[in-house]
Amino acid sequence: MSADGALTASARVEALPRIAEAPRRAPVDWGAVAVHALLLLCVAVIAFPLYYAFVISTQTVEEVIARPPMLSPSGHMFENYVEAWTRAHMARLLWNSAIVAVVSAVGKIAISVLSAFAIVYFDFRGKAVAFWMIFVTLMLPVEVRIMSTYEVIGDLGWLNSYAGLTVPLMASATATFLFRQFYLTVPNELVEAAQLDGVGPLRFLWSFLLPLSWANIAALFVVLFIYGWNQYLWPLMITNTEAMRVVVIGLQDLIPRTGTHIPEWNVMMAAAMMALLPPVAVILFMQRWFVKGLIESEK
Amino acid sequence: MEGRFPGRILPYALLFPSIAVIAVFLLVPAVEALRLSFFEVSPFTGHGTFVGLANFGELVSSEIYRHSLKVTLLFAVGVVALGLAGSLAVAVLASLRLPGFGVYRAVLLWPYALSPAVAGTIWALLFDPSTGPVTVLLRAVTGLSPNWMMDGTYALAVTVVAATWKMLGFNIVFFLAGLQAVPQELREAAQVDGAGAVRVFWRITFPILSPVTFFLFVMNSLYAFFEVFGLIDVMTQGGPGGATEILVYRLYQDAFISARWGIASAQSILLFVMVGVLTLLQFRLAGRRVVYA
């Protein structure tokens, strides 16, 4: 959902012009120091929950329930992570999540590149209908159409399958919309020159358009990967076997419910750390494109 | 028109995958949901009886549904207001030219990548009624020790905090990016003319920032309405006593726990309408009220 919201909304936000840096004046700028202090405080507030979760993942159960809470890491990280890995069948869960995230992201990008290409670079009968059909569906989150989509998946025999987990996530036109916007900015001379040289449409797409839109593809990939990895309600409904479970669902078995379990928050948090690492790594490695891709749609 | 390729079959072949996926997983389910919303479906036989608008009538008059709507609105207002006001304040105070923006971007942005369910898990730990550090801190400061697994109002507040946290860094980063578009000269000129900081903010900074604010408003609203299912499921499961039962959670309950497909479909349709309104708002207002720098 977030992916879709982000993409459609971003398409409306025009490129923000960069203003030249104001010349620096005073040698010690106390205002800047205060600003940095403020931002560091925010960073600390935002980071503390994750830090604490990590700390817990290194403690024994006794340390977890100690009062006052211990705020520094302990030395039991390794056994907690091993315990979480084996108890939650982590390898399988992570593998499934990776498949869902990568397949849904790559699949959606691929079909959107093709349909946007058809819409921008061809004239054909029924184009208006196709256009309308795609754009009227711009934003219908999975959460909203969940039951009847579930029925469709059941009819197709796709329950407990990767197809059922991934293909419905591709059903949205936001990426098509974004690629269309980008193709419209590509100068006509490029197409004409290519046509003069006898370059066919598919060759043009592959050798000219795709290399040009690499940054957009990267930004979309980040958004869609995170979207796919973090799906919760959809996998919860259409999978009920251990083998097909994704990691954000599998984690929940480890949550200690007050009163009924030993509060093994340490094992839980070790598992959570493993579950959150891949999407966080993706956004950190690709953050430059991510912000750019969302704010400046026309690039 | 120039710049086009000739082709009879190729464009259809290129469009086919998108159209097929959209038709099968979007249009068909949407029509089916609309159809089912007029039926009363038996949970045992799966047999449907046409009931007209009765499902909608039942929803509108249902205490539980109205309560759920109220919870959703409170939740969304909380997340959007807290998230936007907080991050705007931070971003504006920080909006001197920042050499280290790239670094801050990295350390602020990552919670966006967290799944709401994982975020919920972490906050459940922080607010753990006996050992959570936030609980301990609250107890030390206020002397109270409310238990959010029992106290509905507190539970709603806790889930709002958890949900807002996940979007906070994202909001700050986008506000900071937007603030780079505010000409420093303009603000300085206004200050020279004797405008106070507050006036400069409302008259200059805020209007120029409006596209970003609007973008974030829509993002955060959609997030608060639809994406927090995992967070609610992990933290409170809609409880205690329905205090955190947002609409999507109610829908899930009726559809997959009670198997009341007709009434659940009617809820889907109402949600459709809400998303539609948000989308329209986004497309309508984005073009008009918003000042582009």
Side-chain angles (χ1 to χ4, degrees):
Chain A
M1 233 329 287
S2 155
D4 290 5
L7 299 182
T8 40
S10 72
R12 313 301 303 172
V13 179
E14 304 278 308
L16 299 162
R18 302 246 167 257
I19 305 300
E21 292 273 318
R24 318 223 63 182
R25 281 157 295 170
V28 180
D29 184 347
W30 288 108
V33 172
V35 163
H36 283 289
L38 175 77
L39 277 178
L40 284 175
L41 182 70
C42 288
V43 169
V45 168
I46 288 177
F48 177 75
L50 185 73
Y51 169 75
Y52 186 70
F54 170 73
V55 166
I56 289 289
S57 78
T58 64
Q59 296 178 342
T60 61
V61 174
E62 291 72 37
E63 288 166 327
V64 169
I65 57 175
R67 285 198 220 183
M70 291 175 53
L71 296 181
S72 56
S74 174
H76 304 271
M77 179 170 167
F78 187 70
E79 56 255 45
N80 290 339
Y81 281 68
V82 169
E83 175 66 24
W85 183 269
T86 48
R87 201 193 297 174
H89 307 288
M90 210 40 133
R92 183 76 201 173
L93 294 177
L94 289 173
W95 172 247
N96 287 343
S97 287
I99 291 204
V100 170
V102 172
V103 171
S104 64
V106 172
K108 184 160 166 176
I109 288 172
I111 66 174
S112 308
V113 162
L114 295 181
S115 54
F117 180 62
I119 285 174
V120 175
Y121 287 97
F122 289 90
D123 282 316
F124 55 92
R125 192 185 287 270
K127 180 170 170 170
V129 177
F131 190 84
W132 174 84
M133 185 170 163
I134 286 180
F135 292 110
V136 82
T137 61
L138 261 178
M139 203 155 46
L140 294 176
V142 176
E143 282 78 1
V144 187
R145 54 189 153 92
I146 197 128
M147 281 178 314
S148 25
T149 312
Y150 174 82
E151 259 191 318
V152 170
I153 294 291
D155 292 344
L156 288 171
W158 281 8
L159 295 174
N160 287 312
S161 74
Y162 288 125
L165 281 170
T166 53
V167 180
L169 299 185
M170 301 174 199
S172 139
T174 44
T176 305
F177 188 72
L178 228 72
F179 282 117
R180 174 181 169 270
Q181 296 296 89
F182 173 73
Y183 293 161
L184 288 176
T185 66
V186 173
N188 254 341
E189 289 77 20
L190 189 66
V191 196
E192 284 159 15
Q195 284 172 333
L196 279 181
D197 288 345
V199 173
L202 291 180
R203 179 76 201 287
F204 175 74
L205 173 66
W206 183 256
S207 309
F208 291 79
L209 276 187
L210 278 190
L212 281 176
S213 46
W214 209 236
N216 300 64
I217 291 176
L220 261 176
F221 181 81
V222 177
V223 175
L224 298 173
F225 180 93
I226 290 173
Y227 177 63
W229 185 277
N230 291 340
Q231 283 298 311
Y232 185 89
L233 181 52
W234 184 243
L236 183 65
M237 283 174 32
I238 73 149
T239 62
N240 55 18
T241 59
E242 191 98 327
M244 290 308 294
R245 227 187 262 171
V246 296
V247 70
V248 285
I249 310 255
L251 277 187
Q252 311 317 322
D253 292 349
L254 297 177
I255 296 185
R257 303 286 176 197
T258 308
T260 55
H261 296 250
I262 310 161
E264 284 183 293
W265 281 111
N266 50 351
V267 178
M268 170 70 227
M269 286 303 143
M273 287 295 140
M274 294 188 255
L276 63 80
L277 199 60
V280 168
V282 165
I283 204 172
L284 288 187
F285 280 122
M286 301 176 87
Q287 42 161 323
R288 184 175 297 276
W289 291 295
F290 175 73
V291 177
K292 214 187 180 105
L294 287 185
I295 287 211
E296 304 173 20
S297 60
E298 327 239 304
K299 189 72 214 170
Chain B
M1 202 178 150
E2 334 86 84
R4 297 290 165 85
F5 287 99
R8 284 185 171 280
I9 300 162
L10 189 59
Y12 297 106
L14 293 171
L15 271 174
F16 178 75
S18 281
I19 299 279
V21 167
I22 285 173
V24 173
F25 297 104
L26 251 164
L27 296 184
V28 169
V31 171
E32 176 66 8
L34 187 63
R35 194 185 67 84
L36 270 180
S37 69
F38 299 118
F39 283 82
E40 167 95 59
V41 184
S42 155
F44 305 109
T45 60
H47 197 74
T49 326
F50 184 79
V51 292
L53 290 171
N55 286 328
F56 293 97
E58 185 182 332
L59 283 180
V60 172
S61 58
S62 152
E63 275 302 315
I64 293 178
Y65 192 74
R66 292 217 301 250
H67 174 72
S68 175
L69 183 64
K70 199 179 95 188
V71 167
T72 310
L73 290 177
L74 278 175
F75 186 87
V77 168
V79 168
V80 173
L82 210 65
L84 290 195
S87 47
L88 179 61
V90 171
V92 167
L93 290 175
S95 66
L96 302 180
R97 296 275 165 254
L98 279 177
F101 178 61
V103 177
Y104 285 115
R105 184 178 63 198
V107 288
L108 287 170
L109 206 50
W110 60 265
Y112 172 76
L114 253 55
S115 120
V118 171
T121 312
I122 292 177
W123 281 92
L125 167 73
L126 288 167
F127 276 103
D128 185 281
S130 56
T131 58
V134 180
T135 309
V136 171
L137 186 70
L138 278 179
R139 200 180 295 141
V141 173
T142 64
L144 302 170
S145 49
N147 183 343
W148 57 281
M149 293 177 184
M150 316 277 198
D151 178 340
T153 316
Y154 187 43
L156 189 60
V158 167
T159 49
V160 166
V161 167
T164 309
W165 170 72
K166 200 182 105 64
M167 290 299 276
L168 212 54
F170 179 86
N171 294 341
I172 294 175
V173 166
F174 277 86
F175 273 134
L176 280 176
L179 281 163
Q180 313 231 321
V182 180
Q184 190 74 22
E185 298 77 6
L186 204 57
R187 276 191 281 177
E188 279 165 8
Q191 271 160 2
V192 169
D193 288 347
V198 175
R199 218 173 137 79
V200 170
F201 172 77
W202 286 113
R203 289 298 172 82
I204 295 174
T205 311
F206 191 71
I208 292 183
L209 217 50
S210 56
V212 176
T213 311
F214 191 75
F215 162 73
L216 289 175
F217 172 78
V218 173
M219 285 288 297
N220 282 270
S221 308
L222 287 170
Y223 165 75
F225 266 86
F226 302 108
E227 276 175 69
V228 289
F229 178 88
L231 189 142
I232 297 288
D233 194 40
V234 166
M235 293 187 81
T236 63
Q237 290 164 328
T244 55
E245 193 175 71
I246 54 166
L247 288 172
V248 177
Y249 206 82
R250 177 81 242 147
L251 167 65
Y252 170 76
Q253 294 280 329
D254 277 333
F256 294 97
I257 307 298
S258 332
R260 303 184 61 207
W261 285 58
I263 201 95
S265 294
Q267 293 181 35
S268 286
I269 298 299
L270 292 182
L271 281 173
F272 267 124
V273 173
M274 291 177 212
V275 183
V277 168
L278 273 175
T279 314
L280 271 182
L281 209 74
Q282 173 181 319
F283 278 84
R284 274 295 159 87
L285 292 186
R288 263 194 237 144
R289 292 239 181 110
V290 164
V291 176
Y292 292 106

